Amino acid sequence: KTIRKWNVETGKELFCYKTDQPLSCVKKIDDNLIAVGGTDKSVYIFDFSKDSVNEEELAKLQIARMQEHKDILTALEITDDKRLLSASADKTICVWDLNKYKLLKVLQGHTEGVQCLKMLKDGTLASGSFDNSIKIWDLKKYQCIKTLTGHTGHIYSLNQLPDGKLISGASDWSMIAWD
């Protein structure tokens, strides 16, 4: 139930923001802003530009709260054009406008909770789900353009190698490299 800002060089905690909800994921937006997903189904935007804040300033760190999901948030990702993507156990991915903190689109297609997101070098989005599939999304048309199947367990992680291959890790004790 806390968000802490650290100086990683010294190991010193700079400040601690306390929430009333457990938090499930965090993503840096830019040098000042972070997005945080909560178990309360909300996405929060915080301004962490200062290295020290007093108790009065702590209350002003939260600058937005966005709600659309029906279940816990599981992953956050940022597009090159600064849209925020949030995944949830509710089987959806929300696309948010970070200028107005408004919902742009809800991506649907997974049949179980979405666990992980990865923006790919070509501008598409990969999403991994408890339905054992990976979906590739065109974020200009907001459409699923491909479904990758091969895992027999829940997909927990996605990453992209320098050569462009997508790597997925799942609860079936396997990793798959996708071309």
Side-chain angles (χ1 to χ4, degrees), residues 24-30 32-37 43-46 75-79 83-85 98 117-119:
S24 52
C25 49
V26 64
K27 186 71 175 181
K28 176 183 172 183
I29 296 171
D30 60 27
N32 297 322
L33 301 178
I34 63 166
V36 178
V43 179
Y44 297 91
I45 306 298
F46 290 93
L76 298 167
E77 185 65 285
I78 303 290
T79 65
R83 288 176 287 170
L84 177 67
L85 308 166
L98 282 174
L117 300 172
K118 179 64 180 172
M119 282 302 303

Side-chain angles (χ1 to χ4, degrees), residues 134-149:
I134 299 165
K135 292 195 178 290
I136 308 296
W137 302 89
D138 177 332
L139 292 178
K140 290 183 175 89
K141 297 179 181 177
Y142 299 114
Q143 294 177 343
C144 177
I145 55 175
K146 195 174 293 178
T147 300
L148 307 175
T149 59

Side-chain angles (χ1 to χ4, degrees), residues 80-98:
D80 287 341
D81 62 357
K82 297 292 186 211
R83 288 176 287 170
L84 177 67
L85 308 166
S86 59
S88 172
D90 69 6
K91 309 174 193 175
T92 68
I93 302 162
C94 288
V95 183
W96 303 94
D97 177 339
L98 282 174

